[in-house]
Amino acid sequence: MITLSAAECRQLLWDDRGKHPNELWDALYVHSPFCGTCQLAERMLTIVEQTCPQVTIASVHIQFVPALVHTFQIESVPCLLIWERENADASKEPSKIYAFHSVSYLYEQLRGGEADG
């Protein structure tokens, strides 16, 4: 998992037009290191990355990115933002996952690029 600092997140997440550069990663994991559920979700995402090396996940501490929280209306942590790779429209909002049901659920969501909740 790629850990982003606040400056890296601001620089990489938006280009000069305010669009996400989809080619950098498939998903952005927004978390708090003080959250037990976030720690469990991170372990699950690590397993997904190990079983599916073509999926790239970046992570960022929620307190470092208030603009990101506002822009994507993140309601709680953990939150996984997933951008579509194929036929991606850079202006399209990412899908959000708040409930990390299981490793297999996350695997399917990341492989398919679709999230419903």
Side-chain angles (χ1 to χ4, degrees), residues 20 22 25-29 45 79-85 92-97 105-106 108-116:
H20 175 266
N22 296 42
W25 58 74
D26 299 295
L28 179 63
Y29 173 59
L45 289 171
C79 179
L80 187 65
L81 302 172
I82 301 174
W83 283 268
E84 292 182 32
R85 280 262 182 175
K92 187 174 180 182
E93 291 290 315
S95 300
K96 291 183 251 183
I97 293 179
Y105 172 78
L106 292 173
E108 290 300 321
Q109 297 306 305
L110 286 165
R111 293 281 296 165
E114 298 175 5
D116 50 72

Side-chain angles (χ1 to χ4, degrees), residues 24-43:
L24 296 175
W25 58 74
D26 299 295
L28 179 63
Y29 173 59
V30 182
H31 65 91
S32 170
F34 309 110
C35 166
T37 305
C38 294
Q39 292 171 10
L40 178 60
E42 186 169 343
R43 280 185 243 145

Side-chain angles (χ1 to χ4, degrees), residues 39-61:
Q39 292 171 10
L40 178 60
E42 186 169 343
R43 280 185 243 145
M44 294 167 72
L45 289 171
T46 300
I47 293 168
V48 170
E49 281 187 315
Q50 290 171 349
T51 59
C52 189
Q54 66 271 28
V55 171
T56 304
I57 302 171
S59 72
V60 67
H61 186 310

Side-chain angles (χ1 to χ4, degrees), residues 10 55 73:
R10 281 190 300 273
V55 171
Q73 300 176 357

